[in-house]
Amino acid sequence: MKKTLLLTFVLALVFTAQAQELRFAVISDTHIGKPDAARTLRQVVRAINRDTQIRFVLHLGDVSDNGLRNEYRKARRILSRLKQPLYVTTGNHDAKQPERYANFRRAFGTGEFRFEYDGIRFLGLTTGPFEANRHATMPDDEIARLARASRDTLPTVIAAHHTPDLVAHHETIFPRIDTSHIVLWLAGHLHCNKTSPTIPGPSAVCISTLEHGSYNIVEISGNELRIGVTSPGKGSLTIWYTQNFK
């Protein structure tokens, strides 16, 4: 009887620890069409597949470099080899012309997503530009999606290509919405790892796979969030950002 109780207690501890730990990968700015971009992405996919603790993969946009249909087909073929669920949003290279966005949608859908994992909401937003000679824009329907998501207090991680301060008219868009539930804004675009004290936010800008196959691993354990960078040739994880979570 005592052994049974002890085993039950140990298993409960194990399952509780597992439930409190989340690990996922973030890739960005793959720019398929550039020299060696496809080969590098294949290496990244193989490396992510070897990590059995990764639950899903986020792609923060600029999937293609030139927005061509064959580039998206190639990207989809490579990314389809991932063993984990993949969620993709658009970058400026994917949406700065209508034909580019149409090609992106044929391969990956709208670039919008929403799902929950272990009590955390993940919301993928498209951030344009969708117009010639514009930088980052957030369409009205995306603003409405963000507003709807703010109606409850579920901790939310945003996945978008641009940080909120780069979105046109951000100074009037975000004050109209309760963004207190947003605990982290993941972005790409700058091809490097850096943090920014944005509102909403904070923002964690994630490196491009063009930088020697670099990608990020996000770990959430209890009330701590960590982001570390790695690459297929490196293997080890270098933590570059931590924050209290929830």
Side-chain angles (χ1 to χ4, degrees), residues 3-13:
K3 289 183 178 179
T4 302
L5 289 174
L6 179 60
L7 178 60
T8 302
F9 178 71
V10 171
L11 288 174
L13 287 178

Side-chain angles (χ1 to χ4, degrees), residues 8 25 33 71 96-97 100 111 161 165 170-171 223 242 246:
T8 302
E71 292 176 349
K96 63 183 177 181
Q97 295 167 338
R100 288 183 181 231
H161 189 65
D165 56 314
H170 63 90
E171 66 279 1
N223 292 326
T242 62
K246 301 181 184 180

Side-chain angles (χ1 to χ4, degrees), residues 6 12 16 37 55-56 69 76 81-82 112-113 120 122 127 130 139 142-143 155 160-161 164 187-188 207 216 225 242:
L6 179 60
T16 300
R55 296 292 173 252
F56 54 84
R69 188 181 298 188
R76 186 176 62 182
R81 297 170 187 164
L82 283 166
E112 304 167 355
F113 57 82
I120 304 167
F122 292 85
T127 54
F130 304 105
E142 289 295 78
I143 297 172
H161 189 65
I207 197 166
N216 283 296
L225 177 145
T242 62

